[in-house]
Amino acid sequence: MSQEAIKLKINKVPPFLSWHVPTESIPEYLDINEKDRESEQCAASLYEALRFGTHILHWLRIEYRGSYTGKATSMLFAEQLRKLDALYSLFKSGAQASAPIVIRSMAETLLYFKYIFKEDSERRAKSVLFMGKIRRLDFLKELQESTPSGKQVR
């Protein structure tokens, strides 16, 4: 095993980061203000949370396989990861002014988690899954040309 592979295995630091030292820009050529740096740092943190979240989602799908509670929590957690990815994209592109909309949506999804785990979680999980299916069917009906709303879309 190479030295680089041993170092990666021991420290869990990717080789390209082990030597990297941030380079300061020359202000007269590249105007990066403190707000831009904060946005970049937030994007990097969000990206790490997103990568770690995929491991949690994988664990949820293995650990709670076969239960409605597991299916509902996996579905909701995957939804949260998609929203976290949207936040990452906003911060990476410098468009963090739209972040409160995504954050509010994430808070609303947390209410579904709270609802499921309050009591009688299997029944509540079934209802969350069922309502998700109903909303999807309603959306698909709106896109059909044979419905009045579908005719307006086309």
Side-chain angles (χ1 to χ4, degrees):
M1 189 178 283
S2 71
Q3 287 289 78
E4 201 170 316
I6 291 171
K7 188 176 182 182
L8 180 62
K9 192 171 187 175
I10 293 171
N11 296 329
K12 304 284 191 228
V13 176
F16 63 88
L17 289 179
S18 62
W19 56 268
H20 180 71
V21 177
T23 306
E24 290 294 321
S25 64
I26 300 171
E28 57 198 53
Y29 296 112
L30 182 61
D31 184 27
I32 297 179
N33 60 28
E34 196 59 37
K35 201 170 196 176
D36 292 336
R37 281 198 183 93
E38 289 173 3
S39 180
E40 288 173 6
Q41 289 171 346
C42 283
S45 298
L46 288 167
Y47 188 64
E48 177 58 31
L50 186 61
R51 290 187 296 187
F52 186 71
T54 61
H55 293 274
I56 295 171
L57 180 61
H58 182 70
W59 175 80
L60 279 171
R61 288 189 171 163
I62 291 171
E63 190 70 23
Y64 295 102
R65 185 175 300 159
S67 73
Y68 286 107
T69 304
K71 288 177 185 176
T73 53
S74 293
M75 178 194 74
L76 291 172
F77 194 78
E79 187 177 317
Q80 290 292 67
L81 284 180
R82 285 191 294 275
K83 292 172 185 174
L84 193 62
D85 186 38
L87 275 178
Y88 164 71
S89 297
L90 287 172
F91 276 89
K92 185 143 174 82
S93 66
Q96 60 269 23
S98 300
I101 297 166
V102 178
I103 293 169
R104 177 170 179 187
S105 178
M106 291 177 83
E108 290 171 358
T109 303
L110 287 175
L111 294 175
Y112 282 110
F113 279 111
K114 189 174 180 178
Y115 170 77
I116 289 172
F117 290 111
K118 196 167 189 174
E119 58 190 41
D120 192 18
S121 59
E122 278 294 297
R123 183 186 62 79
R124 289 172 179 255
K126 283 179 191 177
S127 71
V128 167
L129 290 169
F130 182 72
M131 287 309 297
K133 299 282 185 194
I134 296 277
R135 280 192 210 108
R136 187 176 176 118
L137 285 172
D138 287 345
F139 175 73
L140 292 173
K141 283 180 185 176
E142 287 182 16
L143 296 179
Q144 286 182 336
E145 290 182 20
S146 59
T147 62
S149 60
K151 288 177 184 173
Q152 290 176 351
V153 172
R154 303 268 178 212

